[in-house]
Amino acid sequence: MFVSDVEKAASMNLMPSRSDLKAEAAPAAKPTIAMIEIDHVSQVFQTSSRQDHLALSDISLTVDDGAFVSILGPSGCGKSTLLYIVGGFVAPTRGTARMKGNPITGPGPDRGPVFQEFALFPWKSVLGNVMYGPRQQGVKAAEAEAQSRALIEMVGLKGFEHFYPKELSGGMKQRVALARTLAYHPAVLLMDEPFGALDAHTRTRLQNDLLNIWERDRKTVLFVTHSVEEAVFLSDKVVMMSRSPGRIRQIIDIDLPRPRRRTELLLDPRYQKYVVDIERMFDDAGDDELQP
Amino acid sequence: MRSRVLFARLAPLLACVGLLAVWQVAALTLNNDSFPTALDSIRAIPSILGDKEALINILASLRRMAIGFGTAVLVSIPLGLLMGRSRSVASFFNPLLMVIYPVPKAALMPIIMLWLGVGDLSKTLVIFLGVSLPVIYHSFEGAKAVEEKMLWSGAAMGLSAVERLVRIVLPAALPEILTGCRTGLVLALITMITSEMIARQSGAGNILFNALDMGQYDTVFAMIIIIGGMGIFLDAAFERMRERLVRWSEPQFDIPLSFS
Ligand SMILES: Nc1ncnc2c1ncn2[C@@H]1O[C@H](COP(=O)(O)OP(=O)(O)OP(=O)(O)O)[C@@H](O)[C@H]1O
Ligand SMILES: [Mg+2]
């Protein structure tokens, strides 16, 4: 629904590389607002040995309101860094990131990060972690607790409310991190491999739950993953990045009907073609660290 | 399994009894006036604790120690945390602390006495200085080690910089802070006695050194037992509180190092 007719026709053949998506927004079927604009952003890090390291090079990307955009790319290509810039945690060396047209100057509850490292509060129980955001936003304790318990149940951790993070497995921590961010209802979700540590079954379940929340609450999602299948399954757009320096190599619109059901999609030749084409493209470039 | 638990419970007691037994035997074999037996020393304890004067002295010592320790902790934790999170605060205080750190605080006592007299203020100040440095150091290390993403998570939830310091850095660094406080507590006891040894006027240390001057060796050793007992009790009580506060951070198979 966020894809132009021109692209629909071309969807079987992957679109050529574009560095600026704004040009493409012209004949859209439905007017869309840019939720996030990343405008010629570069990021240079100083390493401890005082060398400049170009982590991101001239990234431009527009994410429409309500869009689900995945970022795919080899390890170290700057996916996390890009999320940090949108989150306002890191100021880009060059270029600007905007949210609803306003330059992003710092973090805020409108953008909820789910970090690759979970970053749970170890002194809080599962329930305490999930309730933290709503309580900070001034939600009454009883109400925050009820909402949080429902979210904990959704991520499949019912019965673990009073466990501390050190008593959880990696996959369980990841699910708490997801619930903690969902709990304060950010308009934009910035998810950094949120399902990386999960078994196939739990991963599928949470993918479906995430899609339900996304469709229900009209959220905008920026989703980093290493899994091509996951990216194709979830997204409206897949951003493919390459490494050294981190660049956008290609943006691919995924024109598959919604609501999507995994079992149906797996048999759908269009889905299969997206997956195979994307994997081929990474193979061609010799980015061996990408694990589908 | 049960016997092991029982042994763990009794171990500190056994250690004390063993130590006293060695002392008793050593004192009997040496048979020296300045080395009373363990039993004689223990027998001298009730007369010290029964003496109103002595009791007032000991309580005055404890009061100075509590005030010195308390104020030091209240000042040092925020300072250490700020230093751990802010480069400019750290570089401002670092040179000062680096100079004070290796100086034995008791060595400052003469100067402090010269300025502030031999009363409570000087002694409390020395205790304050003795406690501050380990607490600052551990708070600093604890704050520095706080995972950046944890602070980012807080910022995304709308916590201000001050709120993050109080509600994220403080709890996250608490295990490290309390380690510093435990060291600080023992140092408070040490500097308390030392200060009273230098500014001989009142206090537990004063009783001890007066007895030494007068050759009342059983009182000297009785005081050592009393002071040592206070140290063991305070440390055990603190450790018990610490364990309760940071249960969330202890590794599953922790080896406790305490008498509690
Ligand atoms: N604080 C930093 N200082 C120096 N270099 C950094 C810093 N953070 C990231 N980098 C560098 O920037 C590049 C991109 O890092 P980033 O974490 O964004 O990669 P990524 O795509 O998320 O990788 P992965 O898939 O492994 O998570 C890497 O080469 C890394 O070495
Ligand atoms: Mg990453």
Side-chain angles (χ1 to χ4, degrees):
Chain A
M1 92 168 85
F2 303 102
V3 186
S4 67
D5 293 335
V6 185
E7 284 174 285
K8 257 178 201 149
S11 69
M12 296 306 288
N13 300 315
L14 294 168
M15 297 300 288
S17 171
R18 282 153 296 157
S19 61
D20 192 351
L21 270 188
K22 275 182 277 181
E24 157 250 0
K30 187 179 158 190
T32 49
I33 318 157
M35 187 60 138
I36 289 164
E37 293 162 277
I38 298 164
D39 192 4
H40 297 289
V41 158
S42 296
Q43 183 67 45
V44 179
F45 284 117
Q46 268 232 324
T47 57
S48 310
S49 50
R50 303 239 161 260
Q51 279 179 323
D52 281 350
H53 175 77
L54 184 59
L56 290 174
S57 170
D58 196 31
I59 303 277
S60 291
L61 176 69
T62 305
V63 181
D64 293 335
D65 186 9
F68 198 122
V69 174
S70 287
I71 303 174
L72 263 179
S75 180
C77 71
K79 305 181 295 295
S80 297
T81 306
L82 192 58
L83 285 198
Y84 301 159
I85 289 170
V86 176
F89 309 117
V90 169
T93 315
R94 281 188 292 279
T96 44
R98 283 185 291 271
M99 167 140 181
K100 290 181 179 163
N102 303 314
I104 290 169
T105 53
D110 50 353
R111 282 151 293 144
V114 181
F115 292 114
Q116 207 170 357
E117 304 88 346
F118 324 132
L120 299 177
F121 302 136
W123 63 95
K124 289 268 177 200
S125 65
V126 169
L127 184 63
N129 266 282
V130 180
M131 279 177 66
Y132 207 97
R135 290 293 289 141
Q136 179 65 27
Q137 243 98 91
V139 178
K140 292 243 160 47
E143 198 184 328
E145 184 175 335
Q147 287 174 5
S148 301
R149 282 183 186 277
L151 272 170
I152 291 168
E153 189 169 350
M154 188 200 90
V155 297
L157 289 175
K158 195 175 165 59
F160 292 94
E161 286 86 352
H162 298 291
F163 279 54
Y164 283 100
K166 69 156 183 177
E167 295 154 341
L168 304 175
S169 73
M172 291 162 89
K173 283 183 203 159
Q174 200 159 41
R175 284 180 275 162
V176 177
L178 176 65
R180 181 178 67 171
T181 301
L182 291 175
Y184 57 93
H185 306 295
V188 179
L189 285 172
L190 304 171
M191 310 176 87
D192 201 348
E193 297 181 41
F195 304 145
L198 302 183
D199 62 276
H201 176 73
T202 313
R203 181 185 264 246
T204 307
R205 244 205 38 232
L206 284 178
Q207 284 172 348
N208 287 326
D209 286 335
L210 178 61
L211 281 185
N212 286 338
I213 290 174
W214 170 71
E215 266 156 25
R216 192 189 63 205
D217 299 350
R218 303 272 77 216
K219 287 195 190 305
T220 305
V221 182
L222 208 51
F223 188 97
V224 170
T225 176
H226 276 138
S227 160
V228 176
E229 292 177 36
E230 183 171 68
V232 174
F233 173 55
L234 294 172
S235 318
D236 300 315
K237 260 190 226 305
V238 174
V239 178
M240 290 174 67
M241 290 182 65
S242 58
R243 188 174 35 185
S244 311
R247 279 212 171 90
I248 293 185
R249 178 196 292 165
Q250 196 143 31
I251 298 170
I252 297 148
D253 292 303
I254 306 296
D255 186 24
L256 293 168
R258 292 192 191 266
R260 295 176 186 168
R261 240 170 284 288
R262 192 178 140 81
T263 41
E264 288 168 16
L265 272 188
L266 286 176
L267 294 169
D268 190 327
R270 289 176 297 175
Y271 167 81
Q272 293 162 356
K273 184 159 168 43
Y274 279 125
V275 172
V276 172
D277 283 346
I278 293 173
E279 277 179 17
R280 282 228 178 94
M281 262 188 282
F282 277 117
D283 283 348
D284 291 348
D287 279 325
D288 42 9
E289 274 176 64
L290 178 84
Q291 268 147 26
Chain B
M1 205 56 220
R2 265 191 64 86
S3 65
R4 185 178 289 183
V5 171
L6 199 67
F7 178 75
R9 281 274 160 79
L10 287 178
L13 207 67
L14 289 175
C16 289
V17 171
L19 205 63
L20 290 175
V22 171
W23 175 1
Q24 182 76 11
V25 172
L28 285 176
T29 39
L30 287 175
N31 195 17
N32 189 325
D33 257 2
S34 59
F35 191 22
T37 63
L39 284 176
D40 285 342
S41 307
I42 291 171
R43 252 181 244 129
I45 294 176
S47 64
I48 297 175
L49 295 183
D51 180 40
K52 198 164 155 238
E53 186 81 8
L55 213 56
I56 289 173
N57 268 300
I58 294 174
L59 287 178
S61 291
L62 284 176
R63 202 188 49 149
R64 281 193 295 273
M65 182 180 154
I67 294 173
F69 177 78
T71 47
V73 162
L74 283 182
V75 173
S76 305
I77 294 176
L79 178 61
L81 293 182
L82 274 172
M83 284 175 64
R85 294 313 316 176
S86 155
R87 206 167 277 277
S88 48
V89 177
S91 50
F92 182 81
F93 283 102
N94 228 339
L96 184 67
L97 294 176
M98 283 304 95
V99 171
I100 301 178
Y101 184 57
V103 178
K105 304 311 161 283
L108 300 174
M109 194 67 193
I111 311 171
I112 294 174
M113 272 162 55
L114 206 64
W115 291 340
L116 301 175
V118 291
D120 274 4
L121 192 58
S122 299
K123 291 172 194 158
T124 314
L125 184 62
V126 178
I127 298 172
F128 174 90
L129 289 174
V131 176
S132 295
L133 283 146
V135 178
I136 291 175
Y137 175 73
H138 281 273
S139 305
F140 169 73
E141 288 293 329
K144 222 171 49 170
V146 174
E147 205 191 330
E148 188 97 74
K149 308 274 153 59
M150 222 142 78
L151 294 165
W152 290 3
S153 297
M157 290 175 190
L159 272 78
S160 68
V162 175
E163 281 177 312
R164 289 199 295 273
L165 195 70
V166 177
R167 294 182 47 202
I168 295 180
V169 177
L170 176 65
L174 195 63
E176 185 73 38
I177 293 172
L178 291 181
T179 303
C181 290
R182 191 181 172 188
T183 314
L185 191 62
V186 175
L187 278 174
L189 190 72
I190 295 172
T191 38
M192 172 190 99
I193 298 295
T194 324
S195 71
E196 290 161 358
M197 189 177 117
I198 300 167
R200 293 272 289 276
Q201 190 199 33
S202 79
N206 187 42
I207 302 177
L208 198 157
F209 289 99
N210 274 342
L212 191 67
D213 289 347
M214 291 187 278
Q216 296 166 341
Y217 295 113
D218 50 351
T219 306
V220 170
F221 279 83
M223 272 316 289
I224 292 175
I225 296 177
I226 292 172
I227 294 164
M230 283 187 329
I232 292 172
F233 170 79
L234 284 173
D235 183 59
F238 185 85
E239 185 55 14
R240 187 159 283 204
M241 181 203 76
R242 193 193 67 87
E243 253 170 25
R244 193 158 299 177
L245 282 175
V246 300
R247 198 163 287 162
W248 52 266
S249 79
E250 302 289 278
Q252 224 75 311
F253 302 102
D254 193 25
I255 302 161
L257 192 66
S258 81
F259 274 142
S260 58

